[in-house]
Amino acid sequence: MTTSLLEIREYIRNFYVKYEEYIVPVLKFLLALISMLMINGQLGYMSQLDNAAAVLVVALICSFMPKNFILFVAAGFVTLHLYEVSLECAAAALVVFLLMFLLYFRFSPGSAVLVIVTPMLFAIKIPYAAPIVAGLLGNPFAAVTVACGVIVYYLITYMNVNASILGSSEAESVIQRFRDIFDGIFGNRAMLIMIAAFAVTVIMVYLVRKLSVDYAWTIAIVAGALLDIVILMVGDLIYDANFSIGGVILGSIAAMAAAFVIQFFRFNLDYSRTEKVQFEDDEYYYYVKAVPKMTVATPEKKVKKITTQRNSRNARHTHSRDTARK
C-alpha cells in the first residue's frame, strides 16, 4: 500500500515538473474563478460583476498575472459590490483592505494564496487548516497573512448579513455610519479569538516542525490542532463567542487530514534509515543527523516493438518455393 502511494506521488510530482508552465496558469485560473464565484454568491449586489462572462474573463486575466493580482481583484470585487449597498460600506471595506495590504506586503508578501484560501476554508467549514498549513509551509510572519484572511471572511459575512440595515437611507451622520460598520466588524469577539488562536497556532507549528526530532511535522500538526482547539474553547468560555464544540473538533480533524496529505508530498521521511555522522575540522566538531526521504522509483513503461521482418522473410521463402515449382 505504501509503495503504491509513493508511486502515485512520484507520478504526480513528475507530471507537475514536466508540465509546470501549463499547470500553474490553470491553478491560478481556478483559484481566481472560485474566489470570484464565492464573492458573488455572498454579496452579488452589482449585476455587472455577478455574471458568468465577467467572472470568466477576469479569472482568465488572473491566470497570466502574478498571484498577488488575484488578491487585488478579489478586493476590488468586494468593494464594488459594497458600493451598491452604500458608499460608506465601500469606503470602510477599502480602508480595511488598504490596512491589510500594508501589513501583508510588510511581513509576508509571498503568501497571497493564504489570504484568498482562508475565507474559502471558512466556507467549507475547515478554517482550522489555514494556520496549520501556514506553519508547515511558511514562516512565523504567515500569522499576519492568515489573520488578514480571517478579517476578510468576517468583513464579507458582516456586510452580507447587515446589508439591508447598512443600505437604509435613515438620517444618520457619515461618521456614525463608519463607527457602526467598524464596530460591527472589529467588535466581533469570535473574529478576535479566531485571529489570536490562528496566530499562536502558526507560530507554534512553525517552531515545532523546525526541531531536529523524529516525526517533527507529525508532532507539529497534532500539537497545532490541539492548541488551536484549546485556545478557541477557552476564548469561548471567557467571552461567550458561541463556537460549536463539535464543529471545532470535526473541523480540526479534517484540518489534520489535509495537513498530513501536504506532509506526504513535502516532508515524507524514512526515519528507520536515520544516520548520524560526526566529523571535525580545525575549529569545530560537527554532529550531523541525516534522514533520507521516502522515495520509490517509478516503473518505466517498456514498449515492445513488433516488426514484420520475420513475416516478410517467410513471405519471400514461400514465393521462392512457388517459383521453383513452376
Side-chain angles (χ1 to χ4, degrees):
M1 182 65 179
T2 303
T3 303
S4 300
L5 290 175
L6 290 173
E7 289 179 359
I8 294 172
R9 185 190 69 173
E10 291 304 314
Y11 277 125
I12 294 173
R13 293 174 66 174
N14 293 337
F15 181 82
Y16 179 83
V17 171
K18 186 176 181 180
Y19 300 103
E20 181 178 2
E21 59 180 334
Y22 305 107
I23 294 174
V24 171
V26 170
L27 292 177
K28 289 194 288 186
F29 172 80
L30 292 176
L31 180 63
L33 179 65
I34 295 171
S35 62
M36 303 310 157
L37 289 175
M38 293 182 70
I39 291 171
N40 286 345
Q42 286 288 316
L43 301 176
Y45 301 115
M46 181 173 281
S47 59
Q48 293 88 340
L49 299 179
D50 190 17
N51 67 80
V55 171
L56 287 174
V57 170
V58 172
L60 186 61
I61 294 173
C62 290
S63 66
F64 298 100
M65 302 296 287
K67 289 181 291 186
N68 287 335
F69 184 76
I70 303 176
L71 190 59
F72 285 109
V73 171
F77 260 59
V78 173
T79 303
L80 290 174
H81 278 305
L82 294 178
Y83 179 75
E84 290 294 306
V85 178
S86 72
L87 178 61
E88 292 83 4
C89 288
L94 187 61
V95 170
V96 172
F97 285 134
L98 289 175
L99 293 175
M100 185 182 71
F101 288 144
L102 290 175
L103 289 173
Y104 164 73
F105 285 112
R106 173 65 179 84
F107 294 102
S108 190
S111 54
V113 174
L114 274 175
V115 182
I116 302 170
V117 170
T118 300
M120 294 181 182
L121 293 175
F122 271 98
I124 60 177
K125 309 302 181 184
I126 54 169
Y128 318 104
I132 298 176
V133 173
L136 291 177
L137 303 181
N139 55 47
F141 293 118
V144 176
T145 308
V146 175
C148 291
V150 174
I151 293 172
V152 169
Y153 169 76
Y154 278 97
L155 182 149
I156 294 175
T157 301
Y158 172 79
M159 295 295 187
N160 181 35
V161 172
N162 298 281
S164 59
I165 300 174
L166 297 174
S168 62
S169 58
E170 297 177 359
E172 189 176 294
S173 66
V174 175
I175 296 176
Q176 185 61 41
R177 281 177 175 265
F178 275 116
R179 183 179 301 171
D180 293 340
I181 293 171
F182 283 112
D183 286 345
I185 298 172
F186 294 100
N188 190 327
R189 293 180 177 179
M191 184 189 76
L192 299 177
I193 296 170
M194 196 77 73
I195 290 174
F198 283 11
V200 174
T201 301
V202 169
I203 296 171
M204 201 276 287
V205 170
Y206 171 81
L207 293 176
V208 173
R209 66 102 168 168
K210 295 292 287 184
L211 296 176
S212 61
V213 298
D214 291 354
Y215 306 101
W217 277 46
T218 301
I219 297 171
I221 291 169
V222 176
L226 292 176
L227 178 63
D228 195 28
I229 292 173
V230 170
I231 296 176
L232 290 174
M233 293 299 97
V234 170
D236 185 38
L237 288 174
I238 296 175
Y239 297 105
D240 193 21
N242 294 321
F243 289 123
S244 170
I245 297 177
V248 172
I249 294 175
L250 292 177
S252 298
I253 293 173
M256 285 193 293
F260 281 125
V261 172
I262 293 174
Q263 178 190 5
F264 178 74
F265 282 93
R266 287 292 300 269
F267 199 77
N268 194 19
L269 303 183
D270 186 1
Y271 289 100
S272 64
R273 297 191 292 126
T274 301
E275 297 180 3
K276 294 184 179 180
V277 182
Q278 176 183 343
F279 56 94
E280 64 176 293
D281 59 15
D282 294 336
E283 298 181 357
Y284 295 96
Y285 279 96
Y286 299 91
Y287 299 91
V288 179
K289 179 180 178 181
V291 184
K293 294 181 179 180
M294 191 177 293
T295 58
V296 64
T298 54
E300 296 183 359
K301 294 182 179 179
K302 295 182 179 180
V303 179
K304 188 175 181 180
K305 192 173 182 180
I306 301 174
T307 62
T308 59
Q309 183 177 1
R310 185 175 179 181
N311 295 333
S312 299
R313 189 180 302 165
N314 292 336
R316 286 198 300 269
H317 288 327
T318 303
H319 180 71
S320 299
R321 285 197 300 270
D322 292 341
T323 303
R325 288 174 184 172
K326 292 179 181 179

